[in-house]
Amino acid sequence: MLTTDVVVVGGGSAGLAAAIESSKAGAEVLLIDENARPGGQLFKQIHKFFGSRRHYAGIRGFEIGRRLLEEAHKNEVEIKLNTIIFGILGNKIGIVEDKTHAKWLKAKTIIFSCGASEKLISFPGWTLPGVMGAGAAQTIINLHRVLPGSRFLMIGSGNVGLVVSYQILQAGAEVVAIIEALPKIGGYGIHASKIRRAGVQIAVSHTIKEAYGKDKVEAVTIGALDKNMNLVPGSEKRFKVDVICLAVGLKPNIELPLMAGCETMFLANLGGQVPIHDENMETTVEGIYVAGDCAGIEEVSTAIESGRLAGIAVAEKLGYLTKNEAYDVKVNLREVLDELRGGPFGMQRKYAKQQLIRRAAHLKGV
Amino acid sequence: MEKGLETTGIPSMEELEKTPGFPSSKRLMEGPVAVIECLQEIPCDPCETACPLGAIEVGKPITNLPELDEDKCTGCGICIPLCPGLAIFVIDYTYSEDEALVTFPYEFLPLPEEDSLVNATDRSGRPLTKGRIVKVLARKQFDRTVVVSIAVLKKYAQRVRGIVLNRGKGE
């Protein structure tokens, strides 16, 4: 049976960054992804990213993906695509290659960077074709170059809702409105201003009541919410739409870490159940690490840095880096992560991450 | 409805005047100058190195708001396409006797044509006045963010932040 130093599960921004760092340090790295292309969500991100220059700020997402991929190739990361993991048994990983061949791999260490899934909300009519996740709409439009409709309603004003709305306009369709149940816009003001300048309404304290249509979405009713989140009678408005996008948050993909026995805790500010990890990104199971959205919903810049941190920590664990060599790099990465989690938008995530790390320390009896 | 960035997505004049990236009215009257409409502390700093004159400072931590040194700024506009948030504009109140020039980032197709008359829109995308497209600048290093300059009557300059082109559906 093939034994690899490091198996990285998921080739998005965190996984690529982790694989690059471990490989650079000398470890043998195998990156597994179920998709036909690596890069995770990066290749559908056509907007310029925020962050610092060190995190490729100002560069469009797909270009960041291209650069990370190039770096991974340069550092001889082996990438196995179209490969699904069906099970984790100790240090053995069961995979299905090309949807046909099942086999087991052995790994000394595993880094789970399996990303996140979209959360959904239900309402009358939500099963009609035309109701989809905002991320799904973004994939259909930016990767497959197909417009799923001409009049969109966006539910949720977080950064995903705002950014995808802007990209729907760029693709040539109309966004009738963005509605938000909370009394405040969830995402960055800058994204909100950009979409307002393009003529799109954002209605806070509003929710969807019902979607209508015979075979697909044809119309929708929205209504205002009072401060107890109850629908204000008589505030309903009905209008024509053919796509309803749900941008109501993301949750970490924790199925594989759970299968590996990693303990989790519920942290709303990180998207729900999150694998408990220490400051090296190591979970409660020795030799198993997490990085990126899989370790709590954040942003691309933090995903990349947490991936690097996991990659370095793994290389140290395997003896490719001495304690001293790893120390400075890890301290630096933690400082960068801390800075990225600053400001009013990052604070809650910073506290939640501290809670995870404290819990890990408690469980490991440090 | 309540005013302001957090509830409407549109920064109010009061909010804008409080941000360190917003030039004084005295400086605005003296000639082209950057107007940085960045009001929330988010981790982002490309504007700082975009400016060849060192007129924008973010410093540490990276969540600081960008601060404009209005005396150093010449209103060259190189920062406009380099701000990933599309939040920087340049206003030139000295453009002509009765017009000011508003320069803004634009990421839609089709692009406006130079010398055409188009609807200039405010921060909510509503048409405010007609304006004349003076310049449409598309450069490789701008990475597909086009920089558009429009001449509008001076009294509209502080409100005009974009354009809407007739897409055949009436405006």
mmCIF file of all heavy atoms in Angstrom, chain A residues 48-53 57 60 166 170 183-185 188-190 193 196-197 204 339-340 344-345, chain B residues 5-6 8-9 40-45 49 60-62 81 84-86 107 123-125 142-143 145:
data_model
loop_
_atom_site.group_PDB
_atom_site.id
_atom_site.type_symbol
_atom_site.label_atom_id
_atom_site.label_comp_id
_atom_site.label_asym_id
_atom_site.label_seq_id
_atom_site.Cartn_x
_atom_site.Cartn_y
_atom_site.Cartn_z
ATOM 1 N N LYS A 48 -11.790 41.482 -7.994
ATOM 2 C CA LYS A 48 -10.490 41.707 -7.369
ATOM 3 C C LYS A 48 -10.613 41.496 -5.868
ATOM 4 O O LYS A 48 -11.567 41.950 -5.249
ATOM 5 C CB LYS A 48 -10.015 43.133 -7.667
ATOM 6 C CG LYS A 48 -9.648 43.330 -9.130
ATOM 7 C CD LYS A 48 -9.190 44.741 -9.433
ATOM 8 C CE LYS A 48 -8.806 44.839 -10.897
ATOM 9 N NZ LYS A 48 -8.522 46.232 -11.313
ATOM 10 N N PHE A 49 -9.632 40.812 -5.309
ATOM 11 C CA PHE A 49 -9.713 40.455 -3.898
ATOM 12 C C PHE A 49 -9.182 41.546 -2.990
ATOM 13 O O PHE A 49 -8.274 42.281 -3.338
ATOM 14 C CB PHE A 49 -8.926 39.156 -3.649
ATOM 15 C CG PHE A 49 -9.760 37.924 -3.906
ATOM 16 C CD1 PHE A 49 -10.520 37.827 -5.052
ATOM 17 C CD2 PHE A 49 -9.780 36.889 -3.001
ATOM 18 C CE1 PHE A 49 -11.294 36.701 -5.288
ATOM 19 C CE2 PHE A 49 -10.548 35.758 -3.231
ATOM 20 C CZ PHE A 49 -11.306 35.660 -4.366
ATOM 21 N N PHE A 50 -9.758 41.597 -1.790
ATOM 22 C CA PHE A 50 -9.241 42.471 -0.744
ATOM 23 C C PHE A 50 -8.070 41.773 -0.085
ATOM 24 O O PHE A 50 -7.724 40.658 -0.424
ATOM 25 C CB PHE A 50 -10.327 42.741 0.305
ATOM 26 C CG PHE A 50 -11.465 43.544 -0.221
ATOM 27 C CD1 PHE A 50 -12.739 43.354 0.240
ATOM 28 C CD2 PHE A 50 -11.254 44.513 -1.189
ATOM 29 C CE1 PHE A 50 -13.797 44.110 -0.241
ATOM 30 C CE2 PHE A 50 -12.300 45.270 -1.678
ATOM 31 C CZ PHE A 50 -13.583 45.064 -1.194
ATOM 32 N N GLY A 51 -7.545 42.433 0.925
ATOM 33 C CA GLY A 51 -6.455 41.836 1.668
ATOM 34 C C GLY A 51 -5.213 42.668 1.531
ATOM 35 O O GLY A 51 -5.271 43.827 1.094
ATOM 36 N N SER A 52 -4.080 42.086 1.909
ATOM 37 C CA SER A 52 -2.845 42.842 1.782
ATOM 38 C C SER A 52 -2.137 42.361 0.530
ATOM 39 O O SER A 52 -2.517 41.372 -0.073
ATOM 40 C CB SER A 52 -1.969 42.635 3.004
ATOM 41 O OG SER A 52 -1.424 41.338 2.961
ATOM 42 N N ARG A 53 -1.133 43.093 0.139
ATOM 43 C CA ARG A 53 -0.422 42.739 -1.091
ATOM 44 C C ARG A 53 0.149 41.328 -0.990
ATOM 45 O O ARG A 53 0.244 40.613 -1.961
ATOM 46 C CB ARG A 53 0.670 43.783 -1.362
ATOM 47 C CG ARG A 53 0.016 45.117 -1.662
ATOM 48 C CD ARG A 53 0.959 46.280 -1.665
ATOM 49 N NE ARG A 53 1.692 46.452 -0.429
ATOM 50 C CZ ARG A 53 1.289 47.229 0.566
ATOM 51 N NH1 ARG A 53 0.155 47.860 0.498
ATOM 52 N NH2 ARG A 53 2.031 47.368 1.632
ATOM 53 N N ALA A 57 -3.823 40.835 -2.861
ATOM 54 C CA ALA A 57 -4.935 41.795 -2.902
ATOM 55 C C ALA A 57 -4.901 42.544 -4.211
ATOM 56 O O ALA A 57 -3.837 42.814 -4.770
ATOM 57 C CB ALA A 57 -4.832 42.776 -1.747
ATOM 58 N N ARG A 60 -7.581 39.396 -9.282
ATOM 59 C CA ARG A 60 -8.849 38.665 -9.420
ATOM 60 C C ARG A 60 -8.660 37.210 -8.982
ATOM 61 O O ARG A 60 -7.607 36.623 -9.201
ATOM 62 C CB ARG A 60 -9.357 38.765 -10.862
ATOM 63 C CG ARG A 60 -9.671 40.219 -11.237
ATOM 64 C CD ARG A 60 -10.358 40.377 -12.568
ATOM 65 N NE ARG A 60 -10.403 41.789 -12.954
ATOM 66 C CZ ARG A 60 -11.373 42.627 -12.597
ATOM 67 N NH1 ARG A 60 -12.380 42.199 -11.886
ATOM 68 N NH2 ARG A 60 -11.323 43.900 -12.952
ATOM 69 N N TYR A 166 -23.410 41.499 -8.098
ATOM 70 C CA TYR A 166 -22.621 42.336 -9.012
ATOM 71 C C TYR A 166 -22.225 41.543 -10.252
ATOM 72 O O TYR A 166 -22.299 42.021 -11.383
ATOM 73 C CB TYR A 166 -21.388 42.840 -8.254
ATOM 74 C CG TYR A 166 -20.518 43.825 -9.000
ATOM 75 C CD1 TYR A 166 -20.940 45.132 -9.209
ATOM 76 C CD2 TYR A 166 -19.254 43.446 -9.475
ATOM 77 C CE1 TYR A 166 -20.136 46.044 -9.876
ATOM 78 C CE2 TYR A 166 -18.447 44.352 -10.138
ATOM 79 C CZ TYR A 166 -18.878 45.651 -10.334
ATOM 80 O OH TYR A 166 -18.085 46.546 -10.988
ATOM 81 N N GLN A 170 -22.922 41.951 -14.276
ATOM 82 C CA GLN A 170 -21.843 41.938 -15.276
ATOM 83 C C GLN A 170 -22.136 40.934 -16.388
ATOM 84 O O GLN A 170 -21.755 41.140 -17.535
ATOM 85 C CB GLN A 170 -20.501 41.617 -14.612
ATOM 86 C CG GLN A 170 -19.966 42.757 -13.775
ATOM 87 C CD GLN A 170 -18.644 42.415 -13.122
ATOM 88 O OE1 GLN A 170 -18.506 41.372 -12.484
ATOM 89 N NE2 GLN A 170 -17.655 43.275 -13.281
ATOM 90 N N PRO A 183 -31.583 43.874 10.329
ATOM 91 C CA PRO A 183 -31.752 45.314 10.054
ATOM 92 C C PRO A 183 -30.502 45.979 9.469
ATOM 93 O O PRO A 183 -30.515 47.173 9.183
ATOM 94 C CB PRO A 183 -32.098 45.897 11.427
ATOM 95 C CG PRO A 183 -31.657 44.904 12.422
ATOM 96 C CD PRO A 183 -31.618 43.562 11.763
ATOM 97 N N LYS A 184 -29.422 45.215 9.303
ATOM 98 C CA LYS A 184 -28.196 45.783 8.740
ATOM 99 C C LYS A 184 -27.656 44.912 7.613
ATOM 100 O O LYS A 184 -27.822 43.684 7.637
ATOM 101 C CB LYS A 184 -27.096 45.871 9.820
ATOM 102 C CG LYS A 184 -27.211 47.083 10.679
ATOM 103 C CD LYS A 184 -26.104 47.088 11.702
ATOM 104 C CE LYS A 184 -26.318 48.254 12.675
ATOM 105 N NZ LYS A 184 -25.401 48.185 13.814
ATOM 106 N N ILE A 185 -26.968 45.550 6.671
ATOM 107 C CA ILE A 185 -26.323 44.825 5.588
ATOM 108 C C ILE A 185 -25.195 43.982 6.176
ATOM 109 O O ILE A 185 -24.413 44.469 6.997
ATOM 110 C CB ILE A 185 -25.801 45.813 4.526
ATOM 111 C CG1 ILE A 185 -26.990 46.487 3.834
ATOM 112 C CG2 ILE A 185 -24.900 45.117 3.507
ATOM 113 C CD1 ILE A 185 -26.620 47.666 2.962
ATOM 114 N N TYR A 188 -19.434 43.710 3.381
ATOM 115 C CA TYR A 188 -18.669 44.955 3.406
ATOM 116 C C TYR A 188 -19.440 46.093 2.730
ATOM 117 O O TYR A 188 -20.060 45.920 1.674
ATOM 118 C CB TYR A 188 -17.354 44.779 2.638
ATOM 119 C CG TYR A 188 -16.333 43.898 3.318
ATOM 120 C CD1 TYR A 188 -15.231 43.421 2.607
ATOM 121 C CD2 TYR A 188 -16.441 43.561 4.670
ATOM 122 C CE1 TYR A 188 -14.274 42.621 3.198
ATOM 123 C CE2 TYR A 188 -15.484 42.756 5.272
ATOM 124 C CZ TYR A 188 -14.405 42.286 4.537
ATOM 125 O OH TYR A 188 -13.449 41.499 5.130
ATOM 126 N N GLY A 189 -19.365 47.271 3.347
ATOM 127 C CA GLY A 189 -20.012 48.457 2.794
ATOM 128 C C GLY A 189 -19.564 48.749 1.380
ATOM 129 O O GLY A 189 -20.351 49.185 0.534
ATOM 130 N N ILE A 190 -18.300 48.457 1.113
ATOM 131 C CA ILE A 190 -17.750 48.735 -0.208
ATOM 132 C C ILE A 190 -18.459 47.922 -1.299
ATOM 133 O O ILE A 190 -18.789 48.442 -2.361
ATOM 134 C CB ILE A 190 -16.237 48.440 -0.163
ATOM 135 C CG1 ILE A 190 -15.510 49.704 0.258
ATOM 136 C CG2 ILE A 190 -15.709 47.910 -1.449
ATOM 137 C CD1 ILE A 190 -14.061 49.500 0.491
ATOM 138 N N SER A 193 -22.017 49.378 -1.637
ATOM 139 C CA SER A 193 -22.032 50.652 -2.378
ATOM 140 C C SER A 193 -21.898 50.418 -3.872
ATOM 141 O O SER A 193 -22.541 51.075 -4.684
ATOM 142 C CB SER A 193 -20.887 51.552 -1.908
ATOM 143 O OG SER A 193 -21.027 51.852 -0.548
ATOM 144 N N ARG A 196 -25.160 49.194 -5.179
ATOM 145 C CA ARG A 196 -26.140 50.283 -5.177
ATOM 146 C C ARG A 196 -25.870 51.230 -6.354
ATOM 147 O O ARG A 196 -26.790 51.676 -7.030
ATOM 148 C CB ARG A 196 -26.085 51.088 -3.854
ATOM 149 C CG ARG A 196 -26.624 50.380 -2.623
ATOM 150 C CD ARG A 196 -28.060 49.923 -2.736
ATOM 151 N NE ARG A 196 -28.990 50.876 -3.307
ATOM 152 C CZ ARG A 196 -29.829 51.640 -2.640
ATOM 153 N NH1 ARG A 196 -29.847 51.592 -1.318
ATOM 154 N NH2 ARG A 196 -30.678 52.433 -3.268
ATOM 155 N N ARG A 197 -24.613 51.569 -6.571
ATOM 156 C CA ARG A 197 -24.282 52.473 -7.692
ATOM 157 C C ARG A 197 -24.753 51.889 -9.013
ATOM 158 O O ARG A 197 -25.071 52.613 -9.949
ATOM 159 C CB ARG A 197 -22.765 52.729 -7.768
ATOM 160 C CG ARG A 197 -22.227 53.641 -6.698
ATOM 161 C CD ARG A 197 -20.876 54.213 -7.103
ATOM 162 N NE ARG A 197 -19.838 53.226 -7.299
ATOM 163 C CZ ARG A 197 -19.092 52.715 -6.330
ATOM 164 N NH1 ARG A 197 -19.261 53.114 -5.074
ATOM 165 N NH2 ARG A 197 -18.175 51.815 -6.597
ATOM 166 N N VAL A 204 -33.171 45.939 3.769
ATOM 167 C CA VAL A 204 -32.911 45.262 5.047
ATOM 168 C C VAL A 204 -34.252 45.042 5.740
ATOM 169 O O VAL A 204 -35.267 45.648 5.364
ATOM 170 C CB VAL A 204 -31.934 46.071 5.941
ATOM 171 C CG1 VAL A 204 -30.560 46.158 5.300
ATOM 172 C CG2 VAL A 204 -32.476 47.458 6.242
ATOM 173 N N GLU A 339 -3.972 39.725 12.336
ATOM 174 C CA GLU A 339 -4.205 41.034 11.730
ATOM 175 C C GLU A 339 -5.391 40.983 10.760
ATOM 176 O O GLU A 339 -6.229 41.878 10.720
ATOM 177 C CB GLU A 339 -2.938 41.484 11.000
ATOM 178 C CG GLU A 339 -2.782 42.978 10.980
ATOM 179 C CD GLU A 339 -1.638 43.424 10.094
ATOM 180 O OE1 GLU A 339 -0.769 42.593 9.738
ATOM 181 O OE2 GLU A 339 -1.638 44.596 9.732
ATOM 182 N N LEU A 340 -5.451 39.878 10.009
ATOM 183 C CA LEU A 340 -6.556 39.729 9.058
ATOM 184 C C LEU A 340 -7.900 39.617 9.762
ATOM 185 O O LEU A 340 -8.931 39.933 9.207
ATOM 186 C CB LEU A 340 -6.347 38.479 8.178
ATOM 187 C CG LEU A 340 -5.254 38.575 7.130
ATOM 188 C CD1 LEU A 340 -4.988 37.207 6.517
ATOM 189 C CD2 LEU A 340 -5.624 39.577 6.038
ATOM 190 N N PRO A 344 -14.010 45.470 12.777
ATOM 191 C CA PRO A 344 -15.328 45.025 13.241
ATOM 192 C C PRO A 344 -15.813 43.746 12.567
ATOM 193 O O PRO A 344 -16.577 42.985 13.156
ATOM 194 C CB PRO A 344 -16.244 46.203 12.883
ATOM 195 C CG PRO A 344 -15.499 47.020 11.897
ATOM 196 C CD PRO A 344 -14.051 46.805 12.157
ATOM 197 N N PHE A 345 -15.374 43.465 11.341
ATOM 198 C CA PHE A 345 -15.846 42.267 10.645
ATOM 199 C C PHE A 345 -15.085 41.017 11.094
ATOM 200 O O PHE A 345 -15.605 39.913 11.025
ATOM 201 C CB PHE A 345 -15.726 42.423 9.128
ATOM 202 C CG PHE A 345 -16.748 43.358 8.545
ATOM 203 C CD1 PHE A 345 -16.477 44.708 8.419
ATOM 204 C CD2 PHE A 345 -17.977 42.880 8.127
ATOM 205 C CE1 PHE A 345 -17.419 45.578 7.890
ATOM 206 C CE2 PHE A 345 -18.936 43.737 7.603
ATOM 207 C CZ PHE A 345 -18.648 45.097 7.483
ATOM 208 N N LEU B 5 -24.541 53.927 5.428
ATOM 209 C CA LEU B 5 -23.940 52.797 4.738
ATOM 210 C C LEU B 5 -24.476 51.440 5.205
ATOM 211 O O LEU B 5 -24.777 50.570 4.401
ATOM 212 C CB LEU B 5 -22.418 52.860 4.919
ATOM 213 C CG LEU B 5 -21.586 51.804 4.212
ATOM 214 C CD1 LEU B 5 -21.761 51.900 2.703
ATOM 215 C CD2 LEU B 5 -20.119 51.942 4.584
ATOM 216 N N GLU B 6 -24.616 51.279 6.532
ATOM 217 C CA GLU B 6 -24.968 49.953 7.060
ATOM 218 C C GLU B 6 -26.375 49.499 6.706
ATOM 219 O O GLU B 6 -26.648 48.308 6.649
ATOM 220 C CB GLU B 6 -24.814 49.947 8.583
ATOM 221 C CG GLU B 6 -23.388 49.748 9.030
ATOM 222 C CD GLU B 6 -23.308 49.385 10.491
ATOM 223 O OE1 GLU B 6 -24.247 49.710 11.241
ATOM 224 O OE2 GLU B 6 -22.299 48.786 10.883
ATOM 225 N N THR B 8 -28.379 51.080 4.073
ATOM 226 C CA THR B 8 -28.772 51.309 2.677
ATOM 227 C C THR B 8 -27.687 50.926 1.671
ATOM 228 O O THR B 8 -27.970 50.774 0.487
ATOM 229 C CB THR B 8 -29.097 52.798 2.437
ATOM 230 O OG1 THR B 8 -27.885 53.546 2.605
ATOM 231 C CG2 THR B 8 -30.150 53.320 3.391
ATOM 232 N N GLY B 9 -26.455 50.818 2.141
ATOM 233 C CA GLY B 9 -25.346 50.579 1.212
ATOM 234 C C GLY B 9 -24.819 51.872 0.618
ATOM 235 O O GLY B 9 -23.879 51.855 -0.180
ATOM 236 N N GLN B 40 -15.244 51.483 6.278
ATOM 237 C CA GLN B 40 -15.245 50.423 7.281
ATOM 238 C C GLN B 40 -13.853 49.813 7.402
ATOM 239 O O GLN B 40 -13.142 49.669 6.407
ATOM 240 C CB GLN B 40 -16.238 49.329 6.890
ATOM 241 C CG GLN B 40 -17.679 49.785 6.968
ATOM 242 C CD GLN B 40 -18.630 48.740 6.424
ATOM 243 O OE1 GLN B 40 -18.249 47.939 5.575
ATOM 244 N NE2 GLN B 40 -19.859 48.748 6.907
ATOM 245 N N GLU B 41 -13.523 49.439 8.633
ATOM 246 C CA GLU B 41 -12.186 48.889 8.873
ATOM 247 C C GLU B 41 -12.143 47.435 8.422
ATOM 248 O O GLU B 41 -12.502 46.525 9.157
ATOM 249 C CB GLU B 41 -11.842 49.019 10.353
ATOM 250 C CG GLU B 41 -11.670 50.468 10.754
ATOM 251 C CD GLU B 41 -11.493 50.639 12.243
ATOM 252 O OE1 GLU B 41 -11.919 49.757 13.011
ATOM 253 O OE2 GLU B 41 -10.925 51.666 12.644
ATOM 254 N N ILE B 42 -11.716 47.229 7.192
ATOM 255 C CA ILE B 42 -11.586 45.873 6.658
ATOM 256 C C ILE B 42 -10.115 45.650 6.308
ATOM 257 O O ILE B 42 -9.383 46.610 6.057
ATOM 258 C CB ILE B 42 -12.484 45.667 5.404
ATOM 259 C CG1 ILE B 42 -12.125 46.671 4.290
ATOM 260 C CG2 ILE B 42 -13.950 45.793 5.771
ATOM 261 C CD1 ILE B 42 -12.816 46.389 2.972
ATOM 262 N N PRO B 43 -9.676 44.380 6.297
ATOM 263 C CA PRO B 43 -8.249 44.128 6.026
ATOM 264 C C PRO B 43 -7.912 44.308 4.544
ATOM 265 O O PRO B 43 -8.070 43.384 3.761
ATOM 266 C CB PRO B 43 -8.048 42.685 6.493
ATOM 267 C CG PRO B 43 -9.396 42.059 6.420
ATOM 268 C CD PRO B 43 -10.408 43.144 6.610
ATOM 269 N N CYS B 44 -7.450 45.460 4.155
ATOM 270 C CA CYS B 44 -7.208 45.748 2.745
ATOM 271 C C CYS B 44 -6.252 46.925 2.618
ATOM 272 O O CYS B 44 -6.430 47.937 3.303
ATOM 273 C CB CYS B 44 -8.546 46.085 2.071
ATOM 274 S SG CYS B 44 -8.424 46.161 0.275
ATOM 275 N N ASP B 45 -5.247 46.798 1.769
ATOM 276 C CA ASP B 45 -4.288 47.906 1.665
ATOM 277 C C ASP B 45 -3.660 48.194 0.290
ATOM 278 O O ASP B 45 -2.682 48.939 0.221
ATOM 279 C CB ASP B 45 -3.171 47.726 2.702
ATOM 280 C CG ASP B 45 -2.259 46.545 2.367
ATOM 281 O OD1 ASP B 45 -2.504 45.847 1.363
ATOM 282 O OD2 ASP B 45 -1.295 46.320 3.114
ATOM 283 N N THR B 49 0.131 51.285 -1.755
ATOM 284 C CA THR B 49 1.258 51.216 -2.685
ATOM 285 C C THR B 49 0.861 51.643 -4.094
ATOM 286 O O THR B 49 1.723 51.856 -4.944
ATOM 287 C CB THR B 49 1.834 49.791 -2.777
ATOM 288 O OG1 THR B 49 0.766 48.876 -2.761
ATOM 289 C CG2 THR B 49 2.796 49.516 -1.648
ATOM 290 N N LYS B 60 -0.198 50.058 9.816
ATOM 291 C CA LYS B 60 -0.542 48.853 10.571
ATOM 292 C C LYS B 60 -1.471 49.208 11.696
ATOM 293 O O LYS B 60 -1.290 50.251 12.312
ATOM 294 C CB LYS B 60 0.734 48.198 11.113
ATOM 295 C CG LYS B 60 1.443 47.378 10.064
ATOM 296 C CD LYS B 60 2.206 46.238 10.714
ATOM 297 C CE LYS B 60 2.341 45.100 9.700
ATOM 298 N NZ LYS B 60 2.475 43.787 10.259
ATOM 299 N N PRO B 61 -2.466 48.425 12.065
ATOM 300 C CA PRO B 61 -2.860 47.201 11.384
ATOM 301 C C PRO B 61 -3.504 47.486 10.026
ATOM 302 O O PRO B 61 -3.941 48.592 9.752
ATOM 303 C CB PRO B 61 -3.874 46.566 12.331
ATOM 304 C CG PRO B 61 -4.463 47.711 13.073
ATOM 305 C CD PRO B 61 -3.352 48.713 13.211
ATOM 306 N N ILE B 62 -3.580 46.425 9.251
ATOM 307 C CA ILE B 62 -4.075 46.518 7.875
ATOM 308 C C ILE B 62 -5.548 46.926 7.815
ATOM 309 O O ILE B 62 -6.060 47.325 6.772
ATOM 310 C CB ILE B 62 -3.829 45.167 7.155
ATOM 311 C CG1 ILE B 62 -4.155 45.280 5.676
ATOM 312 C CG2 ILE B 62 -4.598 44.038 7.809
ATOM 313 C CD1 ILE B 62 -3.896 44.027 4.900
ATOM 314 N N PRO B 81 -8.295 52.277 -10.428
ATOM 315 C CA PRO B 81 -8.489 50.870 -10.828
ATOM 316 C C PRO B 81 -7.777 49.891 -9.904
ATOM 317 O O PRO B 81 -8.007 48.681 -10.003
ATOM 318 C CB PRO B 81 -7.873 50.825 -12.225
ATOM 319 C CG PRO B 81 -6.819 51.876 -12.192
ATOM 320 C CD PRO B 81 -7.357 52.979 -11.314
ATOM 321 N N PRO B 84 -9.484 47.354 -4.950
ATOM 322 C CA PRO B 84 -10.350 46.215 -5.271
ATOM 323 C C PRO B 84 -11.810 46.487 -4.931
ATOM 324 O O PRO B 84 -12.704 45.819 -5.448
ATOM 325 C CB PRO B 84 -9.788 45.076 -4.427
ATOM 326 C CG PRO B 84 -8.813 45.660 -3.501
ATOM 327 C CD PRO B 84 -8.489 47.048 -3.914
ATOM 328 N N GLY B 85 -12.064 47.464 -4.069
ATOM 329 C CA GLY B 85 -13.434 47.767 -3.680
ATOM 330 C C GLY B 85 -14.100 48.778 -4.585
ATOM 331 O O GLY B 85 -15.258 49.138 -4.362
ATOM 332 N N LEU B 86 -13.408 49.235 -5.587
ATOM 333 C CA LEU B 86 -13.915 50.274 -6.507
ATOM 334 C C LEU B 86 -14.448 51.467 -5.715
ATOM 335 O O LEU B 86 -15.520 51.998 -6.026
ATOM 336 C CB LEU B 86 -15.003 49.726 -7.435
ATOM 337 C CG LEU B 86 -14.723 48.429 -8.209
ATOM 338 C CD1 LEU B 86 -15.852 48.165 -9.201
ATOM 339 C CD2 LEU B 86 -13.389 48.484 -8.945
ATOM 340 N N GLU B 107 -16.902 48.571 -14.600
ATOM 341 C CA GLU B 107 -16.632 47.157 -14.934
ATOM 342 C C GLU B 107 -17.788 46.498 -15.670
ATOM 343 O O GLU B 107 -18.107 45.330 -15.432
ATOM 344 C CB GLU B 107 -16.307 46.371 -13.654
ATOM 345 C CG GLU B 107 -14.982 46.740 -13.016
ATOM 346 C CD GLU B 107 -14.607 45.805 -11.873
ATOM 347 O OE1 GLU B 107 -15.506 45.237 -11.244
ATOM 348 O OE2 GLU B 107 -13.402 45.654 -11.616
ATOM 349 N N ARG B 123 -25.139 57.808 -6.083
ATOM 350 C CA ARG B 123 -24.680 56.632 -5.334
ATOM 351 C C ARG B 123 -25.747 55.541 -5.236
ATOM 352 O O ARG B 123 -25.456 54.443 -4.794
ATOM 353 C CB ARG B 123 -24.204 57.042 -3.938
ATOM 354 C CG ARG B 123 -22.911 57.854 -3.964
ATOM 355 C CD ARG B 123 -22.373 58.111 -2.551
ATOM 356 N NE ARG B 123 -21.188 58.953 -2.601
ATOM 357 C CZ ARG B 123 -21.227 60.280 -2.623
ATOM 358 N NH1 ARG B 123 -22.394 60.910 -2.585
ATOM 359 N NH2 ARG B 123 -20.105 60.976 -2.675
ATOM 360 N N SER B 124 -26.976 55.856 -5.638
ATOM 361 C CA SER B 124 -27.995 54.800 -5.634
ATOM 362 C C SER B 124 -28.284 54.322 -7.054
ATOM 363 O O SER B 124 -29.212 53.550 -7.273
ATOM 364 C CB SER B 124 -29.288 55.309 -4.983
ATOM 365 O OG SER B 124 -29.933 56.210 -5.872
ATOM 366 N N GLY B 125 -27.496 54.783 -7.996
ATOM 367 C CA GLY B 125 -27.668 54.347 -9.372
ATOM 368 C C GLY B 125 -28.757 55.101 -10.120
ATOM 369 O O GLY B 125 -29.054 54.786 -11.272
ATOM 370 N N PHE B 142 -4.531 47.830 -15.481
ATOM 371 C CA PHE B 142 -5.756 48.057 -14.704
ATOM 372 C C PHE B 142 -6.550 46.755 -14.555
ATOM 373 O O PHE B 142 -7.553 46.714 -13.854
ATOM 374 C CB PHE B 142 -6.659 49.097 -15.383
ATOM 375 C CG PHE B 142 -6.097 50.493 -15.436
ATOM 376 C CD1 PHE B 142 -6.763 51.499 -16.125
ATOM 377 C CD2 PHE B 142 -4.896 50.811 -14.802
ATOM 378 C CE1 PHE B 142 -6.256 52.787 -16.176
ATOM 379 C CE2 PHE B 142 -4.374 52.100 -14.856
ATOM 380 C CZ PHE B 142 -5.063 53.089 -15.547
ATOM 381 N N ASP B 143 -6.124 45.717 -15.262
ATOM 382 C CA ASP B 143 -6.756 44.393 -15.185
ATOM 383 C C ASP B 143 -8.279 44.462 -15.318
ATOM 384 O O ASP B 143 -9.028 44.045 -14.433
ATOM 385 C CB ASP B 143 -6.350 43.696 -13.881
ATOM 386 C CG ASP B 143 -6.796 42.239 -13.850
ATOM 387 O OD1 ASP B 143 -7.158 41.701 -14.927
ATOM 388 O OD2 ASP B 143 -6.782 41.644 -12.757
ATOM 389 N N THR B 145 -10.454 46.740 -15.135
ATOM 390 C CA THR B 145 -11.256 47.800 -14.528
ATOM 391 C C THR B 145 -10.990 49.043 -15.373
ATOM 392 O O THR B 145 -9.856 49.477 -15.489
ATOM 393 C CB THR B 145 -10.850 48.064 -13.066
ATOM 394 O OG1 THR B 145 -10.941 46.840 -12.346
ATOM 395 C CG2 THR B 145 -11.758 49.095 -12.428
#
